[in-house]
Amino acid sequence: MTATTVTPPYTYTKSREAFDRAFRVIPSGIYGHQGPSEGCYIPQTAFPLFSSRAQGTKFWDLDDNEYIDYMCGYGPNVLGYRDPDVDAAAQAQAKLEDVVTIPSAVMVDFAELLVDTVASADWAFFAKNGGDTTTLAVLTARAATRRKKIVFFDGFYHGVAPWTQKLDYPGILEEDVAHNLYAPWNDLAALERLFSEHRGQIAGLIAQPYMHGNFVDNQLPAQGYWAGVRKLCDDHGVVLIVDDVRAGFRLDLAGSDHYFGFEADLICFCKALANGYNVSALCGKESLKDVVSSLSYTGSYWMSAVPFAAGIASITKLKQLDGPALFERLGTELTTGLVSAASDHGLHLVASGAPALFYLRLADDDSLMLHQEWVAECVQRGVFLTSHHNHFINAALTSADIARTVEVAHEAFGIVKARHPELG
């Protein structure tokens, strides 16, 4: 530890013991972003592996270390962990019914709320995961057009179903991705050429509202870009699908397509829909309602009533708080403070994307390893970031939390700078 260190780094004895147990009975011990196969996010020894409780904008690990959490469960925590209003609504519903042979009428209430809230929604269809909705959207586009091909933008992520993956991924067949087409983001001319080359063959185009991929600065749409995409889809009879699973309700309660000034044919929601209760939704235009009705698509828990009640409470509270404006303000305050803290040490931190959904990159080292070092020092001092993924703001975050975050970040920048005198 260098002389610049003030806060002693956390230790993870109980997390490691739990991981040793997990590794014997769970593939990889932990799957997903925190698992060993994803160890590139931050060094394995730098972060906790299991939590014990959560409240508001914070969680605690098994060793009782406290974290200000900027991953928010990778997005679902939009109001704050254990939000009292959302939990009360869920508990009240649970006393009545949850998974029953026929659906609860609360499903209708939730659908009506989404249709009233989301600009491009004439109906809502519920599932459980974001990938459920993106897969349903693609099925709908193909059923509506009787075509096969789907357009993606380079750097996309739309879930883990085989059609969303790459040919060189384990278990993926050529047939799974045979009808996928790829276009560069923010290049309308290239997209127009692709549409012309495959005229009459493209069923749908699926895209995030802006490029918030991993390992690269996030990119907002160029002026007029979405209007151009909308026109191309209209001219070629292509279904325009917006994957709002990650950004939905953080930029605009009416949908991120509304935020960027256009309307999707289909829009996919999940993460911020019910503050952590397990539900997702595909919303869309009246013209596609009968098409969705024709599909064989359901799941064992897709009409669970408790998440519907939680979703109603969550969206209602986001409206009361004007969530998107709050996230914009807090995200701007945070990213401005972090960039300034880096500058104090002669380092260059880039914050990109929307402030509610910000991405960070320490630009002093092209290998990204320096960035990983900085994130590791932050995590071990109670600020939970991840190296190469966008981060999230939630409504429980306070200016005091942000001030503490900037303080820890400043300390971590100092440690990294002292460790690398070659940076000048």
Side-chain angles (χ1 to χ4, degrees):
M1 202 164 4
T2 70
T4 60
T5 303
V6 176
T7 309
Y10 290 163
T11 58
Y12 306 122
T13 303
K14 291 181 180 179
S15 262
R16 298 297 159 190
E17 290 171 353
F19 181 77
D20 289 342
R21 291 169 50 214
F23 197 75
R24 290 193 289 270
V25 293
I26 299 170
S28 299
I30 299 174
Y31 37 84
H33 293 308
Q34 296 299 120
S37 65
E38 298 283 356
C40 53
Y41 275 81
I42 45 178
Q44 281 283 308
T45 56
F47 58 86
L49 295 172
F50 293 94
S51 63
S52 62
R53 66 189 192 281
Q55 179 68 53
T57 197
K58 297 177 181 178
F59 73 86
W60 288 259
D61 67 18
L62 285 184
D63 295 276
D64 211 33
N65 299 313
E66 178 183 298
Y67 303 86
I68 302 171
D69 182 17
Y70 291 103
M71 292 313 300
C72 295
Y74 284 83
N77 179 26
V78 66
L79 290 171
Y81 291 117
R82 297 170 58 199
D83 178 81
D85 297 317
V86 176
D87 285 359
Q91 289 161 13
Q93 179 61 45
K95 291 178 180 179
L96 300 173
E97 60 176 344
D98 187 15
V99 179
V100 182
T101 303
I102 62 175
S104 168
V106 73
M107 179 172 74
V108 184
D109 299 334
F110 194 23
E112 288 176 339
L113 177 61
L114 287 180
V115 169
D116 288 343
T117 302
V118 176
S120 55
D122 292 319
W123 49 263
F125 182 107
F126 299 109
K128 284 298 175 189
N129 298 297
D132 296 333
T133 66
T134 56
T135 296
L136 177 57
V138 166
L139 286 173
T140 301
R142 285 175 167 156
T145 62
R146 304 295 181 182
R147 301 171 182 174
K148 297 180 179 180
K149 297 189 181 300
I150 303 294
V151 175
F152 299 74
F153 288 117
D154 296 336
F156 68 89
Y157 177 80
H158 301 296
V160 295
W163 66 268
T164 69
Q165 300 201 40
K166 309 293 196 311
L167 186 55
D168 58 348
Y169 286 15
I172 302 304
L173 307 177
E174 290 182 10
E175 293 87 345
D176 293 328
V177 295
H179 299 293
N180 293 358
L181 303 173
Y182 308 101
W185 171 248
N186 263 343
D187 188 338
L188 201 56
L191 186 63
E192 188 169 9
R193 287 194 297 272
L194 187 69
F195 273 47
S196 295
E197 289 168 9
H198 299 276
R199 186 179 296 276
Q201 301 175 58
I202 299 173
L205 177 150
I206 185 167
Q208 299 156 331
Y210 74 88
M211 291 307 295
H212 44 64
N214 300 339
F215 294 94
V216 65
D217 293 350
N218 290 183
Q219 296 181 56
L220 297 173
Q223 185 69 32
Y225 182 68
W226 270 119
V229 175
R230 177 70 271 180
K231 186 176 186 307
L232 275 174
C233 289
D234 289 341
D235 290 348
H236 289 261
V238 171
V239 177
L240 176 50
I241 305 163
V242 169
D243 178 351
D244 220 7
V245 167
R246 197 180 293 187
F249 305 114
R250 281 190 160 89
L251 301 182
D252 190 329
L253 295 178
S256 297
D257 56 343
H258 183 263
Y259 182 81
F260 288 115
F262 72 104
E263 283 199 0
D265 296 315
L266 297 168
I267 184 165
C268 308
F269 295 108
C270 184
K271 292 183 182 293
L273 191 53
N275 203 51
Y277 287 85
N278 191 197
V279 64
S280 62
L282 178 69
C283 296
K285 292 297 188 183
E286 183 67 30
S287 60
L288 294 169
K289 185 178 177 184
D290 287 345
V291 179
V292 174
S293 297
S294 74
L295 301 175
S296 178
Y297 201 69
T298 189
S300 297
Y301 304 98
W302 286 13
M303 288 181 280
S304 172
V306 167
F308 296 154
I312 291 169
S314 185
I315 298 301
T316 300
K317 191 163 185 176
L318 283 170
K319 289 183 177 183
Q320 294 167 349
L321 294 172
D322 191 359
L326 177 64
F327 303 145
E328 171 84 15
R329 178 178 64 78
L330 292 171
T332 300
E333 181 181 347
L334 173 65
T335 54
T336 299
L338 293 175
V339 169
S340 178
S343 181
D344 287 346
H345 292 279
L347 298 172
H348 181 205
L349 182 70
V350 176
S352 60
L357 212 61
F358 63 95
Y359 181 88
L360 300 174
R361 177 177 62 90
L362 199 53
D364 302 87
D365 170 26
D366 290 341
S367 76
L368 303 178
M369 297 306 293
L370 191 71
H371 185 80
Q372 288 191 0
E373 287 187 38
W374 171 68
V375 168
E377 298 299 336
C378 288
V379 170
Q380 291 173 101
R381 287 161 179 81
V383 172
F384 200 93
L385 305 170
T386 196
S387 290
H388 311 302
H389 192 288
N390 70 281
H391 298 82
F392 299 90
I393 298 294
N394 68 80
L397 186 70
T398 66
S399 287
D401 295 324
I402 291 172
R404 176 57 183 160
T405 299
V406 173
E407 180 183 349
V408 168
H410 202 285
E411 184 177 332
F413 284 128
I415 294 169
V416 169
K417 187 66 177 289
R419 193 182 292 149
H420 294 277
E422 72 276 7
L423 294 174

